[in-house]
Every structure is written in structure tokens, then in C-alpha cells.
């Protein structure tokens, strides 16, 4: 088993990079990805109705036929992270025993969370608990685990357990598996910071050829669609907040103008790089998110919300086996429309978030990496969801807000803030929070796509990063305006399906890598 680690041969990978019109690219990854991306944009523009129907059919078929696979893959990845962290392999330090981290824990965690799912939590932090609470009260296949008909307390428990399930341990495990693999093989084995490197223990030098090219193209395409989905969510919610607060009509043109402004800000962040761009914005975002969360806690039913936090963790853990069950589900509406869709979305995000995690995690132990990449963000997510979700449910039950569930998803956060003091100020802060998460996600995603399409290089011309910045934004804009969220979601699911198998195989490669290092350290 250790033979592969004794004589690593990276072949011609990285040497095939070409300079074309000022861009340093790996032609066999860059051009297929660029052509497919361009084809999607053109098709969506010339046939918006047909493309929207196609994307919707893809979404429905994938979540219906492969629901068991998405859920099983998520369970396996979570189990893998837990076992590795608790085993002696968790003591291995990424980069070797003498490696030291480049960032403080606060900066590191802020960047992990901001690049991971910050913008999604802002969008769904109110709307998902409200939706699950409403369906649980009514019962039926759309309700989590069948719901609790007419039972406010039971419906609330199911709503929060289901929401936390969709946002806590499972998705972060998907990101952690990818990030751990990329960091391990880059820092400890001297391989390129590339998805294909994790498969060297399984397939040897074949990963530097067509097999590896296929993995990279799939990862880049998944990243583009996963990121475009989040940008679409962020643009819709920011525009909804602006419309709610300043009475500016939300139109395709106004959304386009907003995205163009944010593209300019993102360009400045990309130009600043990780240290002067993403790190500063991520820390700012954490401070704003923390301040908004404390305000809602203080102005809402604070004592009740703090009690709900403990209750929600217990309810989540108690219902975890049933919620993670991949077969024989009677709550098919909730299972496929929420959990399975999320799992596909998270998987499509895994190359992007994982590679970004790897780039900023040199010097962390495997156990610290998994805790920082999986446990800590899950806990923060549970706190956020409890405060915003339970406050919204409380407002519904108490009658403070009528017709909450009939308000559009992107507006519900602002409806909640309207029930609290200084709503114009907090709504403005929420809009700023969305936009900064928008920029950090777009920025970090651009850097990752650029790395994957340039043969693993991390220092490339600004023009090259700018190309991918506008390519991702272009797909997001075109699909958002032509088919709405269904088109964006379908793209994520379509790429998430084959990528799920890639992540499962990645676990095997990572395990072999960790075992090789463990044996080497014992011999030393």
C-alpha cells in the first residue's frame, strides 16, 4: 500500500500549461469548461422557455431517481470525517510536524464560514424554518417526517430539526472531505493543489492524463453552477431588501444593475488577493453577522430563544437517524425538494469550498481541520438558525405577522426585522451583510476556478481571474433572468450527481494518504 507514496511521479501535469492571449491555462481543462459554459449561456438566451423546461426536468429527474444516492453519499462522508478525526490519524499535521498556520483561528474560521455558506444562511435562515413549520402544521408528504398536524410545539421541533439537518454537519462534512484531501496531497506529498491529486493513490500516474482532466472539468463546472446558484440567491434577496426598504421595484434590469455593481466590488477584492481582499471582508462579515444576530436575540424573546438553542440541538440529534434515512421515506416532498436538493448543491460546492479551505489551512492538524471545517461552523449555523428561525415561528404563533408564509422567500428576513425596533437600520445592515457575503463567495470562487483551470497554479495574471469572475457572473445572470432559481438549481444538481461519486472515491484516496504518513511517522 505504501509503494505509491515512495516514488510520486506527477508526469507532465502543470507543464502543459500554455499562455494564450495573456492567460496561463491548462488547455484540456480550460477550453472544455469555457465552451460548455458559453453553450449554456447561449442556449438560455436564444431559447429561454425550452432551456428553463429542460433545467427543471433535470432537477426533478435527478432528485426523484437518485435521492437515495445523494443521501447515502452524505452519510458516508460524515461518517468518514468523524472516524478520521477520532482516530490516531487526526494528529497528523498538514504540511509536516514543523508547519505553522498562516492565519489566526479567528481569520481562518471567518474565511471558512464566509466562503462556505454564509449567503445561503442569510437567505434561508428565516424562510426554511417558516416553510417547514407551516407544512408540519398541515401534515402530508411535504412535511418533515410527516409533520405534527395542529401541534404548534411538535411542528416547531420538526421544523427546526429539519432545517438544522439541512445546514449543519452533513454539508460541512462534504466540504471538509474535499479540503482535507487537497491540503494533504499538496502540503504533505508535494502534489499540485488539484482535485486529481487525491486519486493518485488509487489510479497512479493515470490521474495526470485524461482521467484527471475529466475530474477537473467536472469539478470546475460544478463549482460554476454551485457558485452561480448562491449568487442568484444573494442578488434576489438583496434586491428584495432594497425594494422592501426603499420601495425600488425589483425588475430584471434592477437586478442586473445590482450584480454589475457587485462585480466591480468583487474585482477590487480579487485584485487584493486573499490577504487584502477575502480575509478583511470575511472578518467584517463575521462582525456584522454577529451584531445582527445579537440584536434579534436581544429584541426578540431572548430567554425563550436561548432555551430553544439547547432544545433544537437535542431535537436535531434525536431526529438525525430518521432525517438521514435514504430509503422508504413517506415525506417525499420534504426529502426531495429540500434535503436531496441541498445535498446536490453542497456537493457541487465541495471543490470550490474545499480548495479554498485547503489554501488557508497549512499547519493545522487533521483533527483541528475537521473541527474547524465541520463542527465549529455547524454550531454557528445552529445558533443563527435558532435565533432567526425560532423568532420567526414565535412571531407567527403570537400573531405578530399575518401571512408570513405567503411572503416571497427572499423577503421574509426583512418581514421579521420589521417586527423589531429600528427596522430601517437593521434591514440596511442585513442588505450590507448579504452583499459582502456575495462578494466573498464570488471572489473566493473565482480564485479556485482559476487555480483548477491553470494546472494548479495559484499566481496567475489578473486578467485571467477577471475572465472567470465575469464568466461565473454571466451564467448566474443569464440563468436567473431566463429561468429563475429552477435553472440555477438544476445546474447544481446535474453536476452534483457524478461529483458525489468522485467525493466518495476521494475518501479512499485520502485514507491511503493518511495511512502512508502515519506509517512514515511511526518509523521515524
Amino acid at each position: 500500500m505504501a509503494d505509491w507514496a515512495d516514488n510520486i511521479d506527477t508526469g507532465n501535469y502543470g507543464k502543459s500549461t500554455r499562455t494564450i492571449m495573456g492567460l496561463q491555462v491548462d488547455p484540456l481543462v480550460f477550453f472544455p469548461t469555457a465552451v460548455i459554459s458559453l453553450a449554456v449561456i447561449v442556449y438560455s438566451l436564444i431559447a429561454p422557455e425550452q432551456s428553463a423546461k429542460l433545467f427543471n426536468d433535470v432537477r426533478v429527474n435527478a432528485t426523484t431517481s437518485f435521492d437515495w444516492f445523494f443521501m447515502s453519499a452524505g452519510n458516508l462522508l460524515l461518517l468518514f470525517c468523524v472516524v478520521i478525526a477520532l482516530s490516531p490519524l487526526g494528529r497528523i499535521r498538514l504540511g509536516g510536524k514543523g508547519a505553522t498556520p498562516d492565519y489566526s483561528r479567528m481569520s481562518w474560521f471567518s474565511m471558512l464560514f464566509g466562503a462556505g455558506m454564509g449567503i445561503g444562511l442569510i437567505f434561508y435562515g428565516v424562510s426554511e424554518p417558516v416553510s417547514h413549520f407551516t407544512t408540519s402544521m398541515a401534515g402530508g408528504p411535504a412535511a418533515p417526517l410527516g409533520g405534527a398536524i395542529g401541534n404548534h410545539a411538535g411542528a416547531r421541533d420538526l421544523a427546526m430539526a429539519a432545517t438544522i439537518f439541512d445546514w449543519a454537519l452533513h454539508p460541512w462534512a462534504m466540504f471538509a472531505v474535499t479540503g482535507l484531501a487537497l491540503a494533504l496531497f499538496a502540503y504533505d506529498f508535494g502534489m499540485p493543489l488539484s482535485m486529481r491529486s487525491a486519486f493518485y493513490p488509487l489510479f497512479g500516474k493515470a490521474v495526470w492524463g485524461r482521467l484527471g482532466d475529466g475530474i477537473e472539468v467536472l469539478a470546475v463546472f460544478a463549482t460554476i453552477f454551485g457558485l452561480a446558484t448562491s449568487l442568484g440567491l444573494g442578488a434576489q434577496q438583496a434586491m428584495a431588501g432594497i425594494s422592501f426598504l426603499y420601495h425600488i421595484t425589483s425588475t430584471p434590469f434592477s437586478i442586473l444593475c445590482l450584480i454589475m455593481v457587485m462585480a466591480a466590488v468583487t474585482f477590487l477584492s480579487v485584485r487584493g488577493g486573499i490577504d487584502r481582499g477575502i480575509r478583511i471582508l470575511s472578518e467584517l462579515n463575521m462582525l456584522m453577522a454577529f451584531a445582527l444576530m445579537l440584536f434579534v436575540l436581544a429584541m426578540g424573546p431572548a430567554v425563550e430563544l436561548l432555551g430553544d438553542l439547547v432544545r433544537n440541538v437535542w431535537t436535531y440529534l434525536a431526529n438525525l437517524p430518521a432525517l438521514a434515512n435514504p430509503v422508504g421515506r413517506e415525506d417525499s416532498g420534504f426529502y426531495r425538494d429540500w434535503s436531496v436538493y441541498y445535498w446536490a448543491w453542497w456537493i457541487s460546492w465541495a471543490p470550490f469550498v474545499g480548495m479554498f479551505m485547503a489554501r488557508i489551512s497549512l499547519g493545522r492538524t487533521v483533527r483541528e481541520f475537521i473541527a474547524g471545517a465541520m463542527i465549529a461552523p455547524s454550531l454557528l449555523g445552529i445558533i443563527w438558525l435558532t435565533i432567526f428561525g425560532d423568532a420567526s415561528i414565535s412571531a407567527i404563533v403570537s400573531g405578530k405577522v399575518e401571512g408570513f408564509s405567503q411572503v416571497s422567500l427572499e423577503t421574509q428576513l426583512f418581514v421579521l426585522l420589521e417586527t423589531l425596533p429600528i427596522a430601517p437600520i437593521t434591514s440596511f445592515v442585513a442588505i450590507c451583510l448579504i452583499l459582502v457575503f456575495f462578494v466573498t463567495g464570488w471572489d473566493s470562487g473565482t480564485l479556485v476556478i482559476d487555480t483548477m483551470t491553470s494546472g494548479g497554479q495559484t499566481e496567475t495574471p489578473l486578467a485571467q481571474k477577471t475572465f472567470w469572475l465575469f464568466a461565473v457572473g454571466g451564467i448566474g445572470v443569464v440563468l436567473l433572468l431566463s429561468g429563475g432559481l429552477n435553472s440555477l438549481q438544476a445546474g447544481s444538481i446535474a453536476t452534483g450527481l457524478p461529483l458525489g461519486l468522485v467525493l466518495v472515491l476521494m475518501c479512499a484516496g485520502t485514507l491511503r494518504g493518511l495511512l502512508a504518513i502515519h506509517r512514515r511517522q511511526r518509523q521515524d
Side-chain angles (χ1 to χ4, degrees):
M1 256 177 93
D3 293 343
W4 67 270
D6 295 334
N7 186 24
I8 296 174
D9 182 3
T10 58
N12 291 320
Y13 182 70
K15 301 175 184 177
S16 60
T17 301
R18 300 287 184 268
T19 301
I20 302 174
M21 298 178 64
L23 306 181
Q24 297 176 10
V25 301
D26 182 344
L28 295 178
V29 177
F30 179 88
F31 286 113
T33 307
V35 169
I36 294 172
S37 301
L38 180 62
V40 170
I41 293 176
V42 171
Y43 178 51
S44 299
L45 285 173
I46 64 176
E49 293 183 2
Q50 293 92 327
S51 62
K53 182 180 183 303
L54 174 63
F55 291 133
N56 184 65
D57 290 344
V58 168
R59 180 177 186 267
V60 172
N61 290 335
T63 55
T64 301
S65 302
F66 296 96
D67 50 1
W68 60 272
F69 171 75
F70 282 117
M71 188 57 63
S72 299
N75 293 339
L76 180 60
L77 297 175
L78 175 59
L79 181 62
F80 176 80
C81 286
V82 172
V83 171
I84 292 297
L86 296 178
S87 74
L89 300 178
R91 293 195 294 267
I92 294 173
R93 186 170 298 275
L94 298 172
K97 293 182 179 180
T100 57
D102 294 326
Y103 303 97
S104 68
R105 279 196 174 92
M106 181 61 188
S107 294
W108 179 59
F109 177 67
S110 297
M111 288 189 284
L112 289 178
F113 191 77
M117 57 175 63
I119 200 169
L121 275 176
I122 303 295
F123 188 93
Y124 286 110
V126 171
S127 60
E128 185 170 351
V130 168
S131 175
H132 293 335
F133 175 74
T134 303
T135 56
S136 293
M137 287 289 291
L145 303 180
I149 301 175
N151 181 346
H152 283 135
R156 190 215 71 89
D157 286 346
L158 283 175
M160 293 310 303
T163 302
I164 292 171
F165 172 71
D166 287 339
W167 290 88
L169 295 175
H170 279 80
W172 288 103
M174 298 173 193
F175 303 157
V177 163
T178 312
L180 176 61
L182 291 169
L184 178 73
F185 290 101
Y187 300 140
D188 291 273
F189 292 99
M191 296 188 195
L193 188 63
S194 168
M195 288 285 289
R196 69 179 78 199
S197 296
F199 295 89
Y200 188 86
L202 303 179
F203 303 111
K205 291 187 290 185
V207 299
W208 312 123
R210 295 294 183 268
L211 173 64
D213 293 337
I215 293 172
E216 296 292 342
V217 170
L218 176 62
V220 174
F221 203 51
T223 299
I224 289 174
F225 268 102
L227 186 57
T229 301
S230 294
L231 296 184
L233 293 175
Q236 279 192 327
Q237 190 175 32
M239 196 65 234
I242 293 171
S243 299
F244 189 82
L245 193 58
Y246 301 111
H247 307 291
I248 298 175
T249 305
S250 178
T251 64
F253 178 74
S254 63
I255 292 177
L256 179 60
C257 289
L258 176 64
I259 292 177
M260 290 176 64
V261 171
M262 299 318 298
V265 177
T266 307
F267 171 77
L268 296 176
S269 181
V270 168
R271 187 175 182 179
I274 291 179
D275 290 330
R276 290 184 298 161
I278 298 175
R279 181 183 62 81
I280 295 173
L281 288 175
S282 296
E283 291 175 355
L284 173 64
N285 239 18
M286 287 296 291
L287 291 174
M288 287 196 299
F290 191 66
L292 184 62
M293 188 167 61
L294 283 182
F295 174 82
V296 175
L297 174 63
M299 293 297 104
V303 175
E304 179 183 334
L305 290 177
L306 289 175
D308 287 342
L309 180 59
V310 177
R311 182 176 174 180
N312 286 344
V313 172
W314 167 251
T315 304
Y316 161 59
L317 294 176
N319 287 283
L320 182 59
L323 290 168
N325 175 32
V327 295
R329 298 288 291 263
E330 296 182 359
D331 55 346
S332 57
F334 160 76
Y335 177 51
R336 291 169 179 163
D337 293 341
W338 290 94
S339 296
V340 173
Y341 155 63
Y342 273 134
W343 267 223
W345 188 19
W346 302 142
I347 288 172
S348 72
W349 264 60
F352 149 48
V353 181
M355 183 168 290
F356 185 72
M357 283 179 169
R359 287 186 63 172
I360 63 175
S361 297
L362 174 67
R364 307 286 176 184
T365 66
V366 170
R367 186 170 295 131
E368 183 183 13
F369 177 88
I370 292 176
M374 190 176 79
I375 306 298
S378 293
L379 290 175
L380 182 58
I382 291 172
I383 295 172
W384 180 276
L385 292 168
T386 294
I387 291 174
F388 284 87
D390 274 306
S392 302
I393 294 174
S394 178
I396 294 173
V397 174
S398 64
K400 288 183 180 179
V401 180
E402 294 183 4
F404 204 141
S405 58
Q406 278 71 52
V407 180
S408 63
L409 296 181
E410 58 267 22
T411 307
Q412 290 181 355
L413 170 62
F414 303 100
V415 173
L416 170 65
L417 296 177
E418 190 74 10
T419 66
L420 304 174
I422 59 172
I425 297 176
T426 54
S427 294
F428 176 76
V429 171
I431 293 171
C432 292
L433 187 61
I434 294 165
L435 293 179
V436 178
F437 270 129
F438 190 102
V439 171
T440 53
W442 199 351
D443 184 349
S444 51
T446 296
L447 294 179
V448 167
I449 293 171
D450 180 45
T451 298
M452 288 192 288
T453 56
S454 62
Q457 298 185 56
T458 56
E459 299 296 332
T460 57
L462 179 61
Q464 186 163 325
K465 298 180 178 69
T466 304
F467 170 83
W468 285 115
L469 186 153
F470 286 103
V472 172
I475 287 182
V477 168
V478 170
L479 293 184
L480 180 63
L481 299 183
S482 65
L485 285 179
N486 277 341
S487 296
L488 292 168
Q489 292 169 348
S492 297
I493 290 172
T495 52
L497 184 58
L499 194 60
L501 180 59
V502 169
L503 296 190
V504 171
L505 290 175
M506 185 176 278
C507 291
T510 302
L511 179 60
R512 294 195 68 178
L514 290 170
L515 289 173
I517 294 175
H518 183 62
R519 282 193 298 270
R520 185 186 303 164
Q521 291 180 349
R522 290 181 62 182
Q523 291 172 358
D524 294 341

